Amino acid sequence: MAIPQRQCLKSALENRDIIPFIGVYDVFSASIAAKYYDALFISGFGFAASHYGLPDIGFIAWSDIVAFVQRVRTILPHHFILVDIDDGYVDTAVACHVVSMLESIGASGVILEDQKRPRRCGHLDGKLLMETDEFLVKLRQVLATRQQLFVVARTDASDPQDILNRAQAYAAVGADAILVDGITDLAMIPPLKAAIDKPLVFNQIAGGKSPPCSLDELKQAGVSLVNYSTPCLFAAQAAIETDMQLLRERDGLLVKDRIGVPECNVHLHQNLVSRNHKINHDR
């Protein structure tokens, strides 16, 4: 399936200095984030939490993530969608199948990491890495399988020389962009940018190892894409905790001055219009 020009990240990067991707955890959060940003990130952390109620340590089934992306694409036909596919769900053949499926339903890109199982969030300690040559086999196959899909190669290495070696190797075989997860100092970005002729991706996550940075700071450092992994998930957790406490403190009396049926229903009907527009456009 040819990716429409409006969803092609390679074309977008020719015209934009930096693209922020907002991490979403379900279709509802995606539809809200889409009102403010034109690029969404399907976060493995957020999906594991929302779909299974479990931590991001390898529970995600590839069929679940593909179905989720399809639902998001149905109501948001014009947004960029970047998908976290972890390690490609272990096996190289599975990784290639997932990439084909995601491209066929309109994903804009994927992030493939070099962790091995048991995997974990990139901002936690104790990560295990595949050997570089082992990961390159998988990466090459994925790149050979995709047609126009944008492929980000992610390394979870922490040693500066290992980071550089892996980034150069992944770039050399054709990855479209490089993500070094868990960077602790923004000063690491400029020399990395100088060493590889590929766009760099920076992962922002509240409470993570990387320092919080503005888009301008990241652009000046040499970053081209920024994925905000979990802002919607963490905002939802905070809001639900607050409202449940209020409901209990008020003896079950609902707070009237917040979102209610009219506001939510308007938003949901807008999603329906977007879905119907896509269906009619595809006919």
Side-chain angles (χ1 to χ4, degrees):
M1 174 182 176
I3 295 177
Q5 192 74 8
R6 64 179 177 271
Q7 298 164 5
C8 181
L9 285 177
K10 288 182 182 179
S11 298
L13 285 171
E14 294 174 0
N15 302 304
R16 295 168 65 170
D17 293 329
I18 194 164
I19 303 176
F21 287 80
I22 304 304
V24 299
Y25 64 88
D26 66 1
V27 183
F28 188 70
S29 65
S31 67
I32 295 173
K35 296 195 296 185
Y36 301 92
Y37 291 90
D38 68 349
L40 303 177
F41 176 58
I42 305 300
S43 160
F45 188 120
F47 186 74
S50 66
H51 198 72
Y52 307 109
L54 294 172
D56 183 25
I57 56 175
F59 289 106
I60 295 174
W62 68 262
S63 54
D64 289 339
I65 206 77
V66 169
F68 174 43
V69 175
Q70 186 172 36
R71 292 197 299 274
V72 173
R73 176 53 82 205
T74 297
I75 66 163
L76 299 173
H78 305 306
H79 284 65
F80 299 109
I81 299 179
L82 181 63
V83 185
D84 177 8
I85 61 169
D86 295 341
D87 58 352
Y89 310 102
V90 185
D91 186 80
T92 297
V94 174
C96 293
H97 179 64
V98 171
V99 162
S100 293
M101 292 286 288
L102 288 172
E103 186 160 20
S104 73
I105 61 177
S108 306
V110 297
I111 298 178
L112 179 70
E113 70 188 34
D114 60 7
Q115 282 196 53
K116 64 181 181 180
R117 303 282 169 134
R119 69 164 312 281
R120 58 184 56 211
C121 170
H123 289 257
L124 296 177
D125 294 326
K127 295 178 291 185
L128 303 174
L129 300 185
M130 300 170 65
E131 294 297 328
T132 300
D133 288 343
E134 182 184 4
F135 180 69
L136 286 174
V137 171
K138 182 181 293 185
L139 179 59
R140 283 193 183 99
Q141 289 287 349
V142 163
L143 292 169
T145 299
R146 62 87 184 264
Q147 297 177 45
Q148 296 173 279
L149 195 73
F150 194 87
V151 176
V152 178
R154 163 180 153 179
T155 181
D156 283 80
S158 56
D159 174 75
Q161 189 59 52
D162 193 22
I163 289 173
L164 180 60
N165 292 344
R166 287 174 180 265
Q168 289 178 320
Y170 302 167
V173 299
D176 296 306
I178 303 297
L179 165 61
V180 179
D181 210 8
I183 284 181
T184 57
D185 188 347
L186 200 59
M188 296 174 65
I189 296 290
L192 186 61
K193 180 66 176 178
I196 58 171
D197 186 25
K198 296 286 183 178
L200 295 182
V201 185
F202 189 83
N203 186 19
Q204 297 242 67
I205 182 170
K209 292 185 175 184
S210 300
C213 304
S214 69
L215 288 176
D216 188 61
E217 288 173 324
L218 292 172
K219 181 171 64 176
Q220 294 301 320
V223 171
S224 298
L225 302 99
V226 186
N227 60 307
Y228 293 82
S229 292
T230 51
C232 293
L233 178 71
F234 293 169
Q237 182 176 353
I240 292 169
E241 291 274 5
T242 297
D243 276 21
M244 292 303 98
Q245 289 174 6
L246 282 173
L247 189 64
R248 186 166 182 172
E249 291 168 3
R250 292 163 60 91
D251 191 30
L253 185 64
L254 289 170
V255 178
K256 297 282 189 177
D257 59 350
R258 300 194 178 199
I259 293 290
V261 171
E263 296 85 358
C264 187
N265 209 36
V266 166
H267 178 73
L268 294 175
H269 275 279
Q270 289 172 343
N271 293 345
L272 182 62
V273 170
S274 295
R275 190 202 69 176
N276 290 343
H277 173 77
K278 181 179 187 300
I279 290 172
N280 292 331
H281 180 270
D282 289 345
R283 283 175 178 167

